Amino acid sequence: MSLPVPDPRAIALVTGASSGIGEELARGLAQRGHGVVLVARRQERLKALAAELSSAYGVRAEVIACDLTDSDGRGELADRIADLGLRVDILVNNAGFGLGGLFHRSDPEAQVMQLRVLCEAPVVLLRAFLPGMVERRSGAVINVASTAGMQPLPNSAGYGAAKAHLLSLSEAVHAEVKRFGVTVTALCPGPVFTELFNRQDHPVERVPRSLWLHPDKVAEAALKGAERGKRVVIPGGPIRVGSALMRLTPRALELRLLERMSR
Ligand code: NAD
């Protein structure tokens, strides 16, 4: 088993826990006996989830409201958790949003914000909490990347590139820290029914509904994968096969297909 054993002095830090995959990952971790620190911007939602998890599973559940685009706010997370007398044994970098549409017409500020949440925040949190895990020879990280990061993605170019960064970082760091008893699992879902698609601009909406998964199934696949110390988890058989086929497809053809499908 590669998830650390639950300990009352330790917690799983889950970003983006106010909805979707993050909420289900927090639920799955609490169900396994892990205390949680829930991080996102919507404090009321986080408080309701914390109350549910502590009463259902008897675990400690703390809430820290934080906008992860804000470097001061996210930089303070480690101190705020230490002030609670807790250490982070499990880190889940999940928070995110995705911009769709033509890159040259996109809002440049929104592109930068997307990078801050999807790339900067995981780097900062990983760098903050990984050394302690390595020192203790125990710890697990789940980075929520995406199949969007497995190839360039026309009509979600910035999102795909940001997820490619997180996927590459995860796999490399996993290779570095595995021998210290720490694992980094990149979760790469295809489309999942969540609030991510409340935005209307996302081309993934055209993917057949039969290929979409529910967030509880995705979270469970991630946690089972992390328990087995897996480097990458792609939930759902058809998506797994599709991404394997895409890897065998010449890049020029792949880009042409993806550009047409997502136009
Ligand atoms: P969601 O919108 O339900 O959840 C996103 C979470 O991130 C929310 O809690 C939101 O508040 C939080 N968040 C967004 N911006 C934030 C910020 N600036 N500061 C703090 N918190 C912030 O969507 P989801 O699908 O559950 O997304 C979770 C992760 O899964 C994202 O990283 C997303 O890219 C990834 N993902 C989603 C899908 C999908 O199809 N839904 C597929 C692959 C990967």
Side-chain angles (χ1 to χ4, degrees):
M1 298 279 274
S2 278
L3 280 183
V5 176
D7 181 323
R9 292 158 301 176
I11 48 92
L13 166 59
V14 183
T15 71
S18 62
S19 62
I21 300 168
E23 178 179 339
E24 295 301 337
L25 283 165
R27 200 168 271 125
L29 285 161
Q31 206 168 14
R32 286 165 168 79
H34 294 282
V36 287
V37 171
L38 309 173
V39 174
R41 290 162 302 180
R42 293 171 294 184
Q43 192 167 23
E44 289 316 310
R45 283 206 193 190
L46 295 177
K47 280 185 179 167
L49 179 62
E52 176 207 315
L53 299 184
S54 53
S55 94
Y57 306 114
V59 296
R60 182 160 176 187
E62 300 283 349
V63 163
I64 301 180
C66 174
D67 183 339
L68 291 165
T69 62
D70 172 27
S71 54
D72 291 340
R74 69 185 183 215
E76 287 164 8
L77 280 175
D79 284 345
R80 291 179 70 179
I81 292 167
D83 289 346
L84 293 168
L86 295 167
R87 63 164 201 264
V88 174
D89 273 4
I90 301 173
L91 169 64
V92 180
N93 281 309
N94 163 78
F97 70 94
L99 297 174
L102 294 168
F103 182 78
H104 74 273
R105 289 200 192 137
S106 64
D107 173 357
E109 186 55 24
Q111 289 287 347
V112 171
M113 289 299 169
Q114 183 175 247
L115 278 181
R116 289 205 177 132
V117 184
L118 297 182
C119 300
E120 274 188 18
V123 165
V124 168
L125 298 184
L126 205 53
R127 190 59 193 79
F129 297 113
L130 204 55
M133 296 182 193
V134 168
E135 199 176 309
R136 294 188 295 277
R137 298 292 192 267
S138 166
V141 178
I142 298 175
N143 284 330
V144 183
S146 172
T147 49
M150 295 181 148
Q151 68 294 298
L153 200 58
N155 294 308
S156 291
Y159 179 72
K163 291 298 187 184
H165 169 270
L166 186 58
L167 177 57
S168 172
L169 180 77
S170 295
E171 293 197 72
V173 176
H174 177 79
E176 290 176 7
V177 297
K178 208 176 154 200
R179 69 195 168 95
F180 300 113
V182 180
T183 56
V184 182
T185 300
L187 172 64
C188 294
V192 187
F193 295 109
T194 69
E195 293 176 20
L196 194 81
F197 301 107
N198 287 357
R199 308 175 60 92
Q200 296 301 308
D201 59 2
H202 225 289
V204 80
E205 288 286 11
R206 285 166 223 146
V207 175
R209 294 275 127 173
S210 57
L211 294 178
W212 288 60
L213 294 176
H214 288 277
D216 55 337
K217 298 280 180 284
V218 172
E220 195 49 33
L223 293 173
K224 289 211 168 103
E227 280 169 346
R228 298 209 309 271
K230 287 193 75 173
R231 190 182 79 250
V232 177
V233 172
I234 305 173
I239 292 289
R240 226 168 11 252
V241 172
S243 43
L245 289 176
M246 274 301 200
R247 274 199 292 279
L248 300 174
T249 309
R251 182 53 62 87
L253 175 61
E254 185 182 35
L255 279 169
R256 205 156 57 234
L257 285 171
L258 288 169
E259 195 280 326
R260 290 243 174 96
M261 272 169 57
S262 60
R263 198 180 293 172

